């Protein structure tokens, strides 16, 4: 049986998990693939660091270049993170014709086009199942399982850390900072956790899914992003009273064709009020879920652990199998990991995106307040579907909740700008989108 030697660059949470998983299930994979996977070297930064998963010292190295260039190493697994050295690692390996597996969504988001083009030029494949939604094989679903569908809607809870934080804030009334510290301890968060809580990690993943679904590489600058720092316990409670749960959603929507030309695709990430009756409202803790609608298949749903050592290692193993089969049967025998096929593809500017909204204002309890606010919305042709001024709030300012009918982002931005300048409005308005999954 052919033996394939792996060079893993990074021996942290995910690298350690992959090392452990290959020891545990490598023999099973050999039976299934007809090739044996062996970890030959693991590059790390610090040889002396104590590691939760022990890697034999003889396998460790600090010079990633020597691992990539080693002619005895057939396949490179980039699990170091970041976008600078990681880009060099992936390019160097692909230029040597070695297949590469990565979990690095930030790298793909920033340099995906260049990396896939390099892979194609050098006859090697670049695999990235672990870059989105942890253990859910969503890349394979879009790339292979749904290859015969046009994807009209995709909604994803794709950041485990944010979902873990929002779940514990809702169910336990837990404090944001304390729950984030737990997510870091559990190995869910990025080395720089602002990537998680400010929505950038979810934007990287949503951009990757949109690229795959629509056949053009989405520029991360075109993805509209809001994170969860502004989601307060008060909004979680009001949402619950209205029958919703707040989730950080990646949203990819395509609205048919525009006079025969490809219409732009909405690609955004923002906290969203999800109706409690919708399945995504019950996706809790570190779990992720991706809801995909295809024009032939209809609605489909994928669910699983979205972050952490073992879930991510499982996705890397799936890519190792594909990459190993490249080496066994030839890279061209498989569907390439990314096929650009939409030359007119473009992202819809956020100002043109239409949505429903939850708005929470902090207002003076004075006659005429509601009339002033309603007049600004009416002038902008923005319809109010309901107004709630909950009892039991006392003080100089009171919460006023408005549920808003479909309106563009631009119209809402301008109207809320005017509303926030009213003397009766005491704080910056809170605006959260409401999704009805139509
Ligand atoms: P991590 O625990 O910080 O591990 C990073 C590893 O890379 C460490 O072993 C580090 O060495 C090594 N490293 C960093 N710079 C290096 C260099 N210049 N040369 C050699 N080795 C270097 O990070 P992680 O959580 O495993 O994440 C790794 C990647 O997987 C990231 O792209 C992340 O976005 C992605 N990912 C993570 C998860 C998750 O749940 N954690 C899930 C999906 C995807 P030392 O150990 O010596 O410091
Ligand atoms: N930090 C990421 C998350 C890791 O919490 O989802 C998985 O990609």
């Amino acid at each position: 049986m052919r033996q394939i030697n792996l060079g893993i660059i990074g021996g942290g949470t995910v690298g350690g998990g992959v090392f452990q998983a290959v020891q545990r299930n490598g023999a099973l994979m050999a039976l299934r693939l007809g090739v044996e996977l062996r970890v030959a070297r693991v590059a790390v930064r610090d040889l002396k660091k104590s590691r939760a998963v022990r890697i034999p010292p003889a396998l460790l190295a600090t010079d990633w270049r020597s691992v990539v260039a080693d002619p005895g190493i057939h396949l490179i697994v980039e699990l170091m993170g970041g976008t600078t050295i990681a880009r060099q690692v992936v390019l160097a390996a692909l230029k040597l014709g070695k297949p590469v597996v990565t979990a690095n969504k930030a790298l793909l988001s920033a340099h995906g086009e260049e990396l896939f083009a390099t892979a194609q030029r050098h006859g090697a494949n670049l695999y990235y199942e672990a870059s989105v939604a942890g253990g859910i094989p969503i890349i394979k679903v879009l790339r292979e399982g749904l290859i015969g569908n046009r994807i009209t809607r995709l909604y994803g809870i794709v950041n485990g850390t944010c979902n873990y934080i929002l779940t514990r804030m809702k169910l336990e009334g837990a404090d944001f900072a304390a729950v984030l510290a737990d997510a870091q301890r559990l190995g869910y968060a990025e080395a720089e956790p602002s990537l998680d809580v400010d929505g950038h990690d979810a934007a990287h993943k949503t951009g990757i899914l949109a690229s795959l679904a629509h056949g053009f590489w989405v520029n991360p600058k075109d993805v509209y992003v809001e994170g969860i720092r502004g989601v307060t316990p008060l909004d979680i409670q009001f949402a619950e009273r209205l029958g919703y749960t707040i989730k950080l959603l990646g949203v990819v929507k395509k609205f048919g064709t525009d006079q025969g030309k490809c219409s732009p695709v909405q690609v955004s990430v923002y906290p969203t009020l999800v109706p409690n009756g919708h399945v995504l409202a019950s996706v809790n803790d570190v779990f992720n879920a991706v809801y995909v609608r295809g024009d032939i298949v209809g609605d489909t749903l994928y669910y699983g652990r979205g972050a952490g050592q073992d879930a991510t290692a499982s996705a890397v193993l799936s890519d190792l199998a594909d990459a190993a089969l490249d080496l066994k049967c030839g890279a061209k025998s498989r569907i390439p990991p990314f096929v650009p096929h939409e030359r007119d593809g473009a992202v819809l500017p956020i100002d043109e995106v239409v949505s429903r909204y939850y708005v929470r204002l902090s207002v003076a309890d004075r006659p005429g307040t509601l009339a002033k606010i309603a007049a600004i919305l009416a002038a902008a042709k923005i319809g109010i579907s309901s107004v709630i001024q909950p009892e039991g709030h006392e003080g100089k300012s009171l919460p006023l909740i408005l549920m808003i009918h479909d309106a563009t982002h631009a119209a809402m931005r301008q109207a809320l700008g005017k509303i926030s300048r009213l003397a009766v409005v005491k704080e910056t308005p809170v605006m959260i989108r409401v999704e009805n999954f139509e």
Side-chain angles (χ1 to χ4, degrees):
M1 188 183 291
R2 179 164 179 192
Q3 177 178 293
I4 289 179
N5 294 329
L6 313 179
I8 304 181
I9 314 298
T13 304
V14 183
V18 170
F19 177 77
Q20 194 167 248
V22 171
Q23 310 310 308
R24 180 169 160 185
N25 282 353
L28 173 69
M29 290 182 71
L31 289 174
R32 290 176 173 167
L33 294 169
V35 291
E36 192 184 324
L37 298 171
R38 172 180 156 266
V39 178
R41 304 295 294 281
V42 181
V44 293
R45 228 172 349 206
D46 178 0
L47 292 176
K48 298 212 171 82
K49 190 170 176 179
S50 87
R51 299 180 186 282
V53 172
R54 188 183 171 277
I55 300 171
L59 297 188
L60 292 178
T62 48
D63 177 14
W64 64 263
R65 288 176 201 278
S66 68
V67 177
V68 170
D70 184 337
I73 289 180
H74 310 113
L75 201 168
I76 298 299
V77 192
E78 184 281 301
L79 301 173
M80 65 188 292
T83 57
T84 309
I85 302 177
R87 173 175 165 269
Q88 294 171 23
V89 168
V90 174
L91 286 174
L94 292 173
K95 285 177 183 170
L96 290 170
K98 298 187 182 188
V100 176
V101 171
T102 182
N104 193 336
K105 49 271 167 149
L107 174 70
L108 287 172
S109 173
H111 302 293
E113 237 170 347
E114 177 195 22
L115 299 178
F116 287 113
T118 306
Q120 200 190 11
R121 263 199 314 280
H122 294 273
N125 278 328
L126 168 62
Y127 293 98
Y128 51 102
E129 186 62 73
S131 69
V132 183
I136 306 173
I138 189 64
I139 301 294
K140 211 157 212 186
V141 163
L142 291 174
R143 200 180 73 190
E144 297 182 8
L146 300 182
I147 192 167
N149 283 262
R150 291 182 193 281
I151 305 301
T152 55
R153 296 286 186 276
L154 185 152
Y155 303 96
I157 294 174
V158 289
N159 185 272
T161 302
C162 288
N163 206 38
Y164 179 75
I165 294 173
L166 290 175
T167 302
R168 289 195 51 197
M169 282 176 77
K170 179 181 172 185
L171 300 183
E172 302 166 24
D175 170 69
F176 184 99
V179 192
L180 173 58
D182 283 348
Q184 288 176 288
R185 188 176 43 76
L186 291 164
Y188 302 158
E190 295 302 302
E192 175 47 64
S194 62
L195 280 174
D196 295 297
V197 296
D198 292 327
H200 302 295
D201 177 78
H204 296 152
K205 294 166 173 170
T206 304
I208 291 169
L209 294 178
S211 303
L212 197 51
H214 294 289
F216 65 97
W217 201 255
V218 169
N219 186 332
K221 293 194 186 85
D222 295 335
V223 182
Y224 177 77
V225 190
E226 286 175 23
I228 64 164
R229 278 188 212 267
V231 177
T232 65
L234 196 57
D235 296 308
I236 291 175
Q237 284 165 23
F238 283 135
E240 178 68 10
R241 282 167 68 171
L242 290 161
Y244 295 91
T245 298
I246 300 180
K247 295 290 181 192
L248 185 71
L249 271 198
V251 179
V252 181
K253 291 188 190 179
K254 169 116 171 161
F255 303 92
T257 53
D258 186 0
Q259 294 175 345
K261 279 186 68 186
C262 163
S263 62
V265 183
Q266 177 189 347
V267 188
S268 337
V269 169
Y270 38 66
T272 309
L273 264 68
V274 175
N276 282 338
H278 193 276
V279 66
L280 289 182
S282 347
V283 174
N284 283 332
D285 297 312
V286 74
F287 282 84
N288 281 189
V290 187
Y291 191 94
V292 186
R293 183 174 300 158
D295 63 344
I296 294 178
V297 69
D299 288 351
T300 62
L301 178 71
Y302 311 89
Y303 172 82
R305 282 183 188 279
Q309 191 161 63
D310 292 344
T312 314
S314 167
V316 172
L317 289 186
S318 154
D319 278 350
L320 291 182
D322 278 349
L325 291 175
D326 282 353
L327 292 164
K328 187 180 167 193
C329 312
K332 292 202 165 57
S333 70
R334 315 188 56 73
I335 301 171
F338 175 66
V339 183
H341 58 80
E342 184 54 83
R343 275 192 299 171
D344 298 329
V347 173
L348 186 68
I350 187 65
D351 267 354
E352 294 173 34
V353 168
V354 173
S355 179
R356 291 163 62 215
Y357 302 85
Y358 156 102
V359 173
R360 178 171 59 80
L361 302 172
S362 192
V363 296
D365 189 13
R366 214 182 286 158
T369 294
L370 187 55
K372 288 188 177 108
I373 294 163
I376 291 175
L377 291 171
K381 299 192 167 41
I382 294 172
I384 301 172
S385 64
S386 64
V387 180
I388 305 158
Q389 179 126 48
E391 297 289 331
H393 290 265
E394 286 171 17
K396 286 192 183 139
S397 60
L398 307 173
L400 176 69
I401 314 298
L402 306 173
M403 297 298 279
I404 305 288
H405 283 302
D406 273 350
T408 62
H409 176 85
M412 282 300 286
R413 184 170 49 73
Q414 285 158 14
L416 284 187
K418 288 181 186 161
I419 288 172
S420 66
R421 289 192 287 278
L422 291 173
V424 291
V425 173
K426 301 300 178 191
E427 288 171 21
T428 307
V430 171
M431 177 182 100
I432 306 179
R433 289 165 186 78
V434 180
E435 185 56 62
N436 58 10
F437 300 95
E438 278 171 358

